[in-house]
Amino acid sequence: MNVVAQYLLGFVALVAGAVCLGNALWQLLAHGVRAVCSALGPRQEGLPDTRIPAVGGSGTGASGGGGEPAELAYWWRQMWVDAATAGGFGIRVIWLRFTGQWTKRTTARLFRGIRSNGLPERNSFVQLGMWLVAPGTFVGALVAATLATAFLTLALAVLALLLGLVWLGAAGTALVLRGVERGRATVLRIRVKCPYPGCYRPVPLAVHRCPRCREQHTRLRPGRYGALRHMCACGQRLGASRLAGRGRLTALCPHCDQVLPDAVGTTRVVHAPLVGGTSSGKTMLMAAMVEGLHAWSRRSDLRVEYASTDDRQTANTLNQTLTQGTWAHATTGGQPRAFMLTVTLGRRRRLLYLYDPMGESLEDAERVRAQHYLAHTDGVVLVADVLAEPTVRGKLSGADADRATAARPSPQGPWETYQRLAGELSALTGRRGRMSVATVVTKRDVLDQLGSLPVAGARIDTWLTEIGLGGLVRALGHDFRADRYWAVSAHAATGAGSLDSEQRRAAEPVLWLLAASGLRTGRLLGPDPKEKKLETA
């Protein structure tokens, strides 16, 4: 009996081996591989695939869009979903084939003595052979299904390893590109700040608007939505970095939704507020500075452009007012919007923010603290209306006093203005000692007519000391890293009959501050009279 059982088991094993290696293994493995390949595509052509998350969904992390109107990069998540779905489908197909074709059909027919054409076998000898073959067929198919599953799982493991390398490569590329952008911004000291009143906040990454559907993308940078490009929900491809064309898109401040200048994010920003009392001539001086920069661009390789259409319109409106021979209107409206220019010399460029706050904003410490743009200051333009200083007015007599009154002096002198500003500026920036201050004495055309005062020569700091503002000169020299002085007639530099030489002189304070930021505009200026005299001494 044991011998018979051994023969039967040997026969079953022989049949199982023949079925497994001769047909079932390769057939099941082929079906599994084809199933994996077919499952990598959409489940049904033309219909949405439920495996793909909705664009801009409420999910967070790796499983959702977090509200971003862009498709997650294929390599970030969908690659793994497709691979896992396809692998699971292939293994299911192997076992479905085993249970369906080899168990319910082939093995069941053999046990029941039914031929492949569906008719029962009449020959008893053949029927007995079918009964003997049936167990071996079932065992062979079971072994084949197990081996096919093992082989397919091994292949899927290799595929997962390759996909992991692809994921690491793509994620590493995104990190490198993001690091290059961040490193470039750090090296070039590009720190974007919003120029609009009530905001002035840092902009680490601007919001970019899709040119087709106007959707706003808050994460347009190399990352999980794509290393080089993002796919908007409308199908528009958007560059994820400056190299890929992100700079051609409209950029918005993420805090106030205002449009940022085109140069934002690529150009170092220089913040230069014009500080002075009401009617000290700040607005006219700013207009003269802008005209002076354009005058320098006509005589040198300096290039000056308005950063936005609004800046061009502001400059045109102010120039029309001054051309008509009227005074510039006093600045009103609370905190100022930065007037923006791009200034280029050689291969270097700066985005210049000029702030023209109303004089009342410096009347007390609380109002100064409300000027949040001062926290980003790189250099200060101190607008000094010396006719507003009581000690200076006391030296005027007769016609000189009348001329000074006609010049509409500021109610607040430059020394008082600086005292109000100095402490708060240090508290806001924490780096006053590393900044430069350009002191500009305004209304030079009136000062030159006053016989009661000494003539303002090349050494404006010495002249200020002579007329009683030595304390201001000493404070500026002590509190700031560098200081320099000018005397300018904004009337002679703006409007009808403006003088090119006076325009260029009005722009020198800005060129000096830009030179402190690394733009090589210092060669356009003459030597500092103060330093020249020290060398002579």
Side-chain angles (χ1 to χ4, degrees):
M1 191 69 178
N2 290 335
V3 174
V4 173
Q6 290 177 358
Y7 276 114
L8 288 176
L9 290 175
F11 180 75
V12 169
L14 181 63
V15 173
V19 169
C20 174
L21 299 177
N23 188 323
L25 174 61
W26 317 115
Q27 184 188 98
L28 293 175
L29 192 58
H31 282 300
V33 172
R34 281 198 297 269
V36 169
C37 294
S38 65
L40 289 175
R43 291 184 172 179
Q44 192 168 353
E45 198 72 34
L47 294 179
D49 195 332
T50 56
R51 296 172 298 176
I52 302 176
V55 175
S58 59
T60 58
S63 61
E68 182 74 1
E71 297 179 4
L72 288 169
Y74 181 76
W75 55 267
W76 177 262
R77 174 185 180 275
Q78 196 59 39
M79 177 179 71
W80 298 105
V81 174
D82 287 348
T85 302
F89 182 63
I91 293 174
R92 285 199 305 274
V93 165
I94 289 176
W95 289 98
L96 287 173
R97 285 279 177 175
F98 166 72
T99 57
Q101 178 181 352
W102 288 98
T103 302
K104 295 181 180 179
R105 291 176 57 191
T106 303
T107 304
R109 283 179 176 180
L110 290 173
F111 272 119
R112 289 182 294 173
I114 299 176
R115 293 182 294 181
S116 59
N117 58 7
L119 299 176
E121 178 59 51
R122 302 297 182 182
N123 190 315
S124 299
F125 181 75
V126 174
Q127 194 175 55
L128 177 62
M130 294 173 66
W131 289 342
L132 293 176
V133 169
T137 302
F138 175 79
V139 173
L142 178 61
V143 173
T146 303
L147 291 176
T149 300
F151 290 154
L152 187 59
T153 301
L154 180 61
L156 292 173
V158 175
L159 176 63
L161 178 62
L162 296 176
L163 293 180
L165 295 176
V166 170
W167 191 94
L168 289 175
T173 301
L175 286 176
V176 168
L177 291 175
R178 188 184 294 190
V180 167
E181 279 203 335
R182 185 170 298 177
R184 177 179 178 273
T186 302
V187 170
L188 299 180
R189 299 178 66 181
I190 299 174
R191 295 185 293 271
V192 182
K193 306 295 189 300
C194 179
Y196 294 100
C199 188
Y200 304 126
R201 296 169 66 181
V203 182
L205 180 65
V207 176
H208 293 86
R209 185 183 291 162
C210 174
R212 180 186 293 181
C213 67
R214 315 298 288 176
E215 282 282 357
Q216 295 183 5
H217 294 254
T218 60
R219 305 175 189 175
L220 193 56
R221 60 184 176 184
R224 60 178 178 172
Y225 295 98
L228 298 176
R229 288 179 175 81
H230 291 191
M231 179 69 76
C232 182
C234 69
Q236 178 72 30
R237 290 185 177 273
L238 307 175
S241 65
R242 289 284 169 182
L243 294 176
R246 187 179 64 194
R248 293 191 292 269
L249 302 176
T250 300
L252 309 174
C253 173
H255 310 294
C256 65
D257 292 332
Q258 297 274 12
V259 177
L260 297 172
D262 294 338
V264 71
T266 62
T267 309
R268 180 177 172 181
V269 181
V270 176
H271 301 262
L274 279 70
V275 177
T278 304
S279 190
S280 61
K282 299 189 307 301
T283 303
M284 293 187 65
L285 177 61
M286 188 176 74
M289 287 176 167
V290 174
E291 289 300 310
L293 290 173
H294 286 294
W296 277 109
S297 69
R298 293 190 292 268
R299 297 174 61 91
S300 66
D301 54 352
L302 186 76
R303 289 190 292 114
V304 181
E305 298 176 348
Y306 296 105
S308 69
T309 304
D310 290 340
D311 297 304
R312 183 183 297 276
Q313 291 176 349
T314 299
N316 290 339
T317 301
L318 182 56
N319 287 335
Q320 289 175 4
T321 301
L322 296 175
T323 301
Q324 295 170 1
T326 59
W327 293 85
H329 299 296
T331 305
T332 58
Q335 297 183 348
R337 173 191 178 274
F339 182 85
M340 296 173 286
L341 296 168
T342 56
V343 184
T344 308
L345 186 60
R347 300 181 62 181
R348 299 187 181 186
R349 185 170 71 158
R350 295 291 182 267
L351 179 58
L352 177 63
Y353 281 21
L354 291 174
Y355 299 92
D356 178 21
M358 61 181 184
E360 293 83 356
S361 63
L362 300 175
E363 289 183 350
D364 55 65
E366 184 177 352
R367 291 189 180 184
V368 174
R369 284 194 293 269
Q371 309 302 306
H372 300 297
Y373 58 88
L374 292 175
H376 313 309
T377 299
D378 295 289
V380 176
V381 179
L382 179 62
V383 183
D385 180 7
V386 297
L387 296 176
E389 196 65 34
T391 56
V392 176
R393 293 292 297 274
K395 297 181 180 182
L396 303 180
S397 60
D400 285 351
D402 294 336
R403 291 190 184 96
T405 301
R408 301 196 305 178
S410 172
Q412 185 177 339
W415 177 233
E416 184 182 359
T417 299
Y418 178 71
Q419 286 180 311
R420 297 275 174 82
L421 172 71
E424 300 304 326
L425 182 63
S426 180
L428 285 168
T429 65
R431 51 187 173 87
R432 187 180 63 186
R434 299 199 301 271
M435 290 190 293
S436 301
V437 57
T439 303
V440 182
V441 175
T442 54
K443 305 177 183 179
R444 172 81 183 251
D445 51 330
V446 177
L447 294 172
D448 288 343
Q449 301 175 28
L450 302 180
S452 306
L453 297 178
V455 177
R459 289 290 305 272
I460 302 300
D461 55 334
T462 301
W463 178 77
L464 287 172
T465 301
E466 291 175 357
I467 65 174
L469 287 170
L472 175 63
V473 174
R474 289 189 294 273
L476 294 175
H478 176 270
D479 294 340
F480 288 87
R481 179 180 63 85
D483 61 311
R484 189 165 174 177
Y485 300 82
W486 287 264
V488 173
S489 171
H491 268 298
T494 57
S498 58
L499 301 176
D500 184 77
S501 59
E502 196 65 22
Q503 288 178 342
R504 286 185 284 113
R505 182 185 300 167
E508 287 185 3
V510 175
L511 295 175
W512 182 69
L513 291 177
L514 289 172
S517 74
L519 193 66
R520 296 173 181 173
T521 51
R523 59 184 176 85
L524 301 178
L525 309 174
D528 188 346
K530 178 173 57 177
E531 296 177 358
K532 187 175 181 180
K533 188 169 183 178
L534 289 174
E535 292 175 2
T536 304

